[in-house]
Amino acid sequence: MSSYAIIGGSRGIGLELVRQLSGRKNVHVLQADVIDHHALKVAADKVSELTGGTLDVLIHSAARMDHTSLYRRLTDYADDNQLDADFTEAFRVNVLGIVHSINAFLPLLRKGGFKKILVMSSGAGDRELAWKARVATSAAYGTTKAAANMVMTKYAVLLESEGFTVFALSPGYVDTTDTAVDQPDEAGKAALDEMLENIRKVYPGYDPAPAPLSLAVKSILMAVQQADPSQNGQYLPAPRLTS
Ligand SMILES: NC(=O)c1ccc[n+]([C@@H]2O[C@H](COP(=O)([O-])OP(=O)(O)OC[C@H]3O[C@@H](n4cnc5c(N)ncnc54)[C@H](OP(=O)(O)O)[C@@H]3O)[C@@H](O)[C@H]2O)c1
């Protein structure tokens, strides 16, 4: 039986990944903040005890997605201190968090059968999309998601000769409202609608409705299962399943 570690499995896409994989039995829930590298190493040690020192697949889904920050533009902060604090926290979770979780689990992945690492990305980190669709919101989130793509690339280069498949995947807009801890306020909702409409104008085939969680995650797992070393270093859009 193959082994998966899902980082950020308490809610949203990560939780649904756990749910869909848990048909396999043997689900173990471990707690760690991704900015706490010591806690991640402790979690990796526990996984190692459970699996006999190996791990086949790491999926890093954790990200800071709180709605207060998510719709802010660079000029929407009360002051520079608030801007600094928001960017710093986003960077610690969305960028360094990936580095610490991969580093903690790398010794296990090196001994694993598949050597696959998926970093969950986002269109918010796509420079071309931000420019073409004129997306000024998600300033901190989008900037850190762009940096997350570079982190993925650095690991892909580093681990290429060892046969790893390190890739990033953008899940598209997914409905995670059932487990959300907050909702956008009216201004946030207006910013989201405007962004989706702008994307649709640039990409007329784009469906602005969020994908149902179970289908989105099914497609993510399909991409993970099909990924092979020829996709090392790639940023993939998730195939969008309709059933
Ligand atoms: N949903 C979408 O439409 C969408 C679109 C594009 C990309 N994505 C990407 O998909 C991934 C999952 O998004 P989601 O919508 O499922 O988000 P979500 O529902 O907000 O869930 C985020 C997960 O990350 C965890 N997390 C946040 N900060 C953490 C920290 N410091 N340490 C450990 N875990 C932490 C949360 O744990 P807690 O329960 O402890 O907070 C939660 O399990 C993210 O990488 C996101 O950027 C999502």
Side-chain angles (χ1 to χ4, degrees), residues 34-35 60 62-66 69-70 77 82-98 138-148:
V34 294
I35 65 177
H60 188 103
R64 183 170 172 268
M65 304 272 288
D66 64 293
S69 160
L70 206 53
Y77 292 88
Q82 191 191 52
L83 184 149
D84 278 5
D86 193 33
F87 267 70
T88 304
E89 186 59 16
F91 192 86
R92 291 184 78 197
V93 175
N94 298 350
V95 185
L96 286 175
I98 299 170
S138 303
Y141 174 70
T143 301
T144 56
K145 281 299 192 181

Side-chain angles (χ1 to χ4, degrees), residues 9-90:
S10 59
R11 294 188 287 108
I13 291 172
L15 179 60
E16 180 63 14
L17 282 164
V18 174
R19 198 189 68 74
Q20 292 193 17
L21 288 165
S22 64
R24 296 163 186 264
K25 301 201 174 99
N26 283 338
V27 176
H28 298 268
V29 179
L30 304 168
Q31 195 174 349
D33 191 313
V34 294
I35 65 177
D36 181 348
H37 38 89
H38 176 70
L40 283 166
K41 290 207 171 76
V42 171
D45 285 346
K46 286 189 184 150
V47 170
S48 180
E49 281 169 25
L50 292 164
T51 61
T54 72
L55 178 66
D56 293 319
V57 181
L58 177 75
I59 302 181
H60 188 103
S61 190
R64 183 170 172 268
M65 304 272 288
D66 64 293
H67 285 95
T68 319
S69 160
L70 206 53
Y71 302 109
R72 279 194 181 130
R73 298 164 300 175
L74 291 164
T75 50
D76 287 340
Y77 292 88
D79 55 42
D80 291 338
N81 289 332
Q82 191 191 52
L83 184 149
D84 278 5
D86 193 33
F87 267 70
T88 304
E89 186 59 16

Side-chain angles (χ1 to χ4, degrees), residues 133 190-204 206-208:
L192 176 63
D193 288 346
E194 186 187 329
M195 180 188 76
L196 294 169
E197 181 54 23
N198 283 355
I199 295 174
R200 204 190 52 75
K201 276 187 205 149
V202 180
Y203 303 99
Y206 178 74
D207 179 358

